[in-house]
Amino acid sequence: MIKRKNILKIAIDSPAAAGAGTLGKSLSKHYNLIYVDTGKIYRLIAYYKLKYPKKFGFKFIKKKIKNLKINDLDKKQLLSDEVGTEASNVAKVNKIRKLIHSFQINFAYNPPKKFKGSCLDGRDITYKIVPDADFKFFITANLKTRAMRRYKELKGLKKSISFKDVLKSIKKRDKNDYNRKVSPLKKTKDSLLINTSKLSKRACFLKIKKIIDKKIKINGNL
Ligand code: C5P
């Protein structure tokens, strides 16, 4: 695998709806990094499973992943709660995780030339996908705050869902993601814990920017 030298690599892990996506996007824009929301890859596989239940199988996914383009992850249909719940089921299957491993690694270590590095967020990024990232963050927020954020997001997309149902499905996903055997969500010792419950999007971005800029200044060429 080709690894570009002197690039900035940011790895973020977080439970659902903690604000990692918003943060990842704003950091990527600021530092000119490619941003990969790895949850969207699992969501895309889940979407195929729901849409083509008869065709769905290992061979089918393999073919889809082989032709996968980063823009495919922008599909609006991937944002529903149903797809999110199914994503946490397909994410338990190690064979599926292995299939998308190189897709993620490639973006992390060999981002397109116009970018100065990469920022990936997910559940196993800090310890499996980019274990040598320059910066590792574990982004979290309390359950109710996360459920409210996701509820508002889904309402904004005109999805008909109650707050109670969103809360229930986030709880279920937390349970799945933290307790599964393969690549569970966890905070590594070398990740910085950021609780965004009481932070605005801007405040969260500025807090992390300060941490990154300080280290870049000390280490110069990062
Ligand atoms: O981040 P998002 O909520 O879109 O992720 C959907 C699901 O995909 C998660 O609940 C998790 O089970 C799975 N996932 C994962 N590993 C990642 C990213 C997401 O297992 N790196």
Side-chain angles (χ1 to χ4, degrees):
M1 195 227 333
I2 304 166
K3 283 191 179 184
R4 267 179 66 193
K5 284 187 183 134
N6 297 322
I7 57 168
L8 175 63
K9 297 186 293 301
I10 301 179
I12 304 174
D13 282 322
S14 77
T22 310
L23 177 70
K25 274 184 216 149
S26 54
L27 289 174
S28 300
K29 197 169 168 204
H30 183 78
Y31 294 104
N32 188 24
L33 313 172
I34 184 143
Y35 169 65
V36 188
D37 173 353
T38 65
K40 289 274 177 66
I41 313 171
Y42 294 94
R43 281 175 180 260
L44 187 67
I45 296 171
Y47 167 77
Y48 289 137
K49 187 176 174 188
L50 296 169
K51 191 161 185 209
Y52 309 107
K54 286 200 180 125
K55 283 191 202 165
F56 192 83
F58 192 66
K59 258 192 187 165
F60 178 79
I61 312 171
K62 205 170 168 182
K63 204 168 150 198
K64 292 281 183 196
I65 297 298
K66 206 176 153 203
N67 301 317
L68 183 62
K69 303 271 173 308
I70 191 110
N71 294 344
D72 297 338
L73 305 179
D74 293 335
K75 269 186 199 291
K76 274 234 165 79
Q77 295 97 312
L78 303 187
L79 301 173
S80 75
D81 195 53
E82 192 193 6
V83 170
T85 303
E86 193 53 52
S88 89
N89 290 330
V90 301
K92 285 184 202 166
V93 184
N94 206 21
K95 225 171 153 188
I96 292 182
R97 302 195 75 87
K98 280 189 179 157
L99 264 188
I100 61 173
H101 196 254
S102 61
F103 179 85
Q104 298 172 80
I105 303 267
N106 196 41
F107 276 106
Y109 291 91
N110 188 23
K113 281 273 153 20
K114 64 175 178 179
F115 295 104
K116 286 187 178 159
S118 61
C119 174
L120 272 66
D121 85 55
R123 305 292 187 281
D124 57 350
I125 308 301
T126 55
Y127 69 96
K128 199 150 204 178
I129 306 296
V130 201
D132 62 344
D134 304 292
F135 295 94
K136 295 184 182 184
F137 299 103
F138 188 88
I139 308 295
T140 190
N142 66 51
L143 180 66
K144 275 200 177 150
T145 306
R146 290 190 283 126
M148 185 49 82
R149 285 178 187 163
R150 181 52 49 89
Y151 173 68
K152 284 184 180 162
E153 204 176 285
L154 291 170
K155 281 280 152 198
L157 292 165
K158 307 257 179 295
K159 305 271 182 205
S160 64
I161 192 162
S162 68
F163 173 72
K164 213 174 130 195
D165 283 343
V166 176
L167 187 76
K168 213 168 119 189
S169 78
I170 294 223
K171 242 187 189 171
K172 190 176 164 212
R173 262 201 308 138
D174 278 1
K175 203 173 157 203
N176 266 350
D177 292 351
Y178 277 111
N179 299 314
R180 69 183 178 212
K181 286 206 179 79
V182 277
S183 304
L185 172 63
K186 61 182 176 196
K187 185 203 158 297
T188 60
K189 276 189 188 150
D190 58 353
S191 295
L192 199 69
L193 176 76
I194 308 276
N195 189 320
T196 69
S197 303
K198 293 196 172 87
L199 289 177
S200 67
K201 289 176 187 171
R202 182 81 187 146
C204 185
F205 165 73
L206 291 174
K207 185 175 174 146
I208 295 199
K209 180 184 169 301
K210 204 170 159 189
I211 295 164
I212 295 178
D213 287 347
K214 198 173 162 193
K215 191 169 164 191
I216 289 181
K217 214 172 155 189
I218 294 168
N219 292 347
N221 63 342
L222 248 184

